[in-house]
Amino acid sequence: MNPHLANLRDRARQCRSRGEMAKRFPAEYREIHRRGLTFLFDHMPRLRRKKFTEEELRQIAAKYESRTEFQNNESSAYMAAWRRGLIDKICPPSRAGAHLHEVAQ
């Protein structure tokens, strides 16, 4: 076996996830992808979060007073709501087009 390939395999085996490998061995991680050797990741489980329900998204959005605050603090939930077209339904109304001097005080 090629010694460089063996080194990449050994580095991959030291990690339990792709994220861990990307942090611990960034050069080797990029090399694996560049050379198309992603089979070296086969021992690593691909963990995925379950999909948000509409009710979960509604509860998360309710914690914030503005859409921007929701987007900045819960970006994955915000993006899920945006992709599903729920932003207008679950978020507080935005002040689209309103300037700070036009907002009632």
Side-chain angles (χ1 to χ4, degrees):
M1 175 180 271
N2 179 338
H4 187 63
L5 182 60
N7 180 45
L8 292 175
R9 186 193 65 223
D10 292 341
R11 293 292 173 115
R13 285 185 178 167
Q14 292 176 23
C15 302
R16 293 187 319 202
S17 69
R18 291 176 182 222
E20 179 185 352
M21 181 159 185
K23 289 177 186 172
R24 289 180 61 194
F25 308 112
E28 290 85 351
Y29 181 79
R30 285 191 305 271
E31 179 76 7
I32 287 171
H33 279 286
R34 189 181 67 75
R35 293 177 59 186
L37 304 172
T38 55
F39 65 88
L40 295 175
F41 299 138
D42 287 350
H43 70 283
M44 300 174 186
R46 301 283 315 249
L47 302 177
R48 297 179 189 260
R49 190 202 187 285
K50 65 176 180 65
K51 292 184 179 181
F52 288 103
T53 65
E54 185 174 336
E55 184 56 34
E56 285 175 322
L57 292 170
R58 188 181 309 282
Q59 290 172 358
I60 294 169
K63 296 189 291 187
Y64 302 103
E65 293 183 22
S66 70
R67 292 177 185 212
T68 303
E69 191 178 355
F70 175 36
Q71 183 178 15
N72 290 340
N73 294 309
E74 302 278 355
S75 60
S76 61
Y78 180 89
M79 288 307 298
W82 182 79
R83 275 191 231 100
R84 291 164 60 181
L86 299 173
I87 290 293
D88 291 333
K89 191 174 178 182
I90 67 172
C91 290
S94 67
R95 299 180 305 191
H99 297 283
L100 291 177
H101 68 276
E102 297 173 338
V103 176
Q105 296 179 4

